[in-house]
Amino acid sequence: EDQVTQSPEALRLQEGESSSLNCSYTVSGLRGLFWYRQDPGKGPEFLFTLYSAGEEKEKERLKATLTKKESFLHITAPKPEDSATYLCAVIEYSSASKIIFGSGTRLSIRP
Amino acid sequence: EAGVAQSPRYKIIEKRQSVAFWCNPISGHATLYWYQQILGQGPKLLIQFQNNGVVDDSQLPKDRFSAERLKGVDSTLKIQPAKLEDSAVYLCASSDTGTAYEQYFGPGTRLTVT
């Protein structure tokens, strides 16, 4: 069964303390991997799409990378406003429409 | 540019009652999605529309859930009858045909079934 597993479930960091979130996936063929940010009481907000191993995308303090089995979301010198749940999702090549989300990592940045 | 609109924002019903949610996607977006997000989990796709047609409804519990998208714009999702396990946030999202993987989500409707 296709799965998307995110770790850790929750992460608390001090402001300025860099870290990484992990997303591992098991699909027969990856069409695309996506990162979203979700604030409490709101819908997810699109961050990045990655298509092939070795690809990297950056946005402000966030950098997403992709390998054949997993993706990392690196957060450099985070600020309290980066606190949110970060969701990873994949679309399998054989099923162009069905997107599978992970359960997310709840990130909390202390000032 | 206006975002994805959903209503109501909150709904409390008793089990076995029916409920309907409404979604207005971003203007010009051909693809519309309905998701169910249970507390502590990621969103689960229920149904995807491309204009008026259904692309994927494989995870929609068709014995109690129904959805329609009239004229390829607004959409409604209905639950009848509701069960306790339907308590969740129902999210609507839309995407442009050219950037199908970049989905824009509405704020969601929080449903509580008692």
Side-chain angles (χ1 to χ4, degrees):
Chain A
E1 182 181 317
D2 297 335
Q3 280 199 358
V4 179
T5 303
Q6 293 189 243
S7 61
E9 287 187 11
L11 181 62
R12 297 187 69 183
L13 300 173
Q14 199 69 34
E15 183 173 1
E17 181 185 0
S18 302
S19 187
S20 297
L21 314 182
N22 177 263
C23 171
S24 63
Y25 58 91
T26 54
V27 295
S28 56
L30 182 70
R31 191 177 186 96
L33 183 142
F34 319 95
W35 284 98
Y36 283 81
R37 168 190 171 131
Q38 186 171 26
D39 292 296
K42 296 187 176 181
E45 175 188 347
F46 174 80
L47 292 174
F48 305 110
T49 303
L50 301 167
Y51 294 104
S52 56
E55 190 174 357
E56 298 182 353
K57 294 275 180 72
E58 285 190 67
K59 181 180 180 179
E60 297 181 355
R61 295 176 291 282
L62 301 177
K63 178 180 174 181
T65 62
L66 181 64
T67 72
K68 288 186 177 180
K69 293 292 184 184
E70 58 190 349
S71 176
F72 292 93
L73 185 65
H74 307 278
I75 302 177
T76 302
K79 299 181 177 181
E81 53 262 41
D82 295 321
S83 298
T85 296
Y86 290 85
L87 295 164
C88 170
V90 302
I91 291 182
E92 184 185 14
Y93 226 99
S94 62
S95 174
S97 60
K98 192 158 71 178
I99 185 169
I100 304 170
F101 278 87
S103 294
T105 293
R106 293 188 309 278
L107 178 66
S108 175
I109 309 298
R110 299 189 299 271
Chain B
E1 179 183 77
V4 176
Q6 289 189 247
S7 67
R9 290 296 313 276
Y10 306 92
K11 190 75 177 179
I12 300 174
I13 62 172
E14 295 181 352
K15 60 183 179 183
R16 292 188 289 273
Q17 287 186 326
S18 62
V19 64
F21 312 126
W22 173 83
C23 173
N24 180 240
I26 291 174
S27 177
H29 280 192
T31 309
L32 185 147
Y33 313 78
W34 281 103
Y35 291 88
Q36 179 192 60
Q37 186 173 25
I38 294 172
L39 187 64
Q41 298 182 17
K44 172 187 165 185
L45 179 67
L46 294 176
I47 189 168
Q48 177 183 344
F49 293 95
Q50 180 80 16
N51 296 310
N52 288 345
V54 175
V55 174
D56 186 339
D57 64 357
S58 59
Q59 299 189 101
L60 186 73
K62 298 180 185 64
D63 58 334
R64 298 184 301 106
F65 286 64
S66 64
E68 61 181 6
R69 189 181 186 196
L70 299 176
K71 301 180 181 178
V73 182
D74 293 7
S75 177
T76 57
L77 176 70
K78 296 179 181 178
I79 307 175
Q80 182 179 8
K83 294 185 176 182
L84 296 177
E85 58 261 36
D86 297 332
S87 293
V89 175
Y90 290 85
L91 295 162
C92 178
S94 68
S95 66
D96 191 0
T97 304
T99 56
Y101 300 145
E102 186 172 335
Q103 298 184 21
Y104 293 84
F105 283 80
T109 297
R110 181 176 298 277
L111 174 67
T112 302
V113 182
T114 62

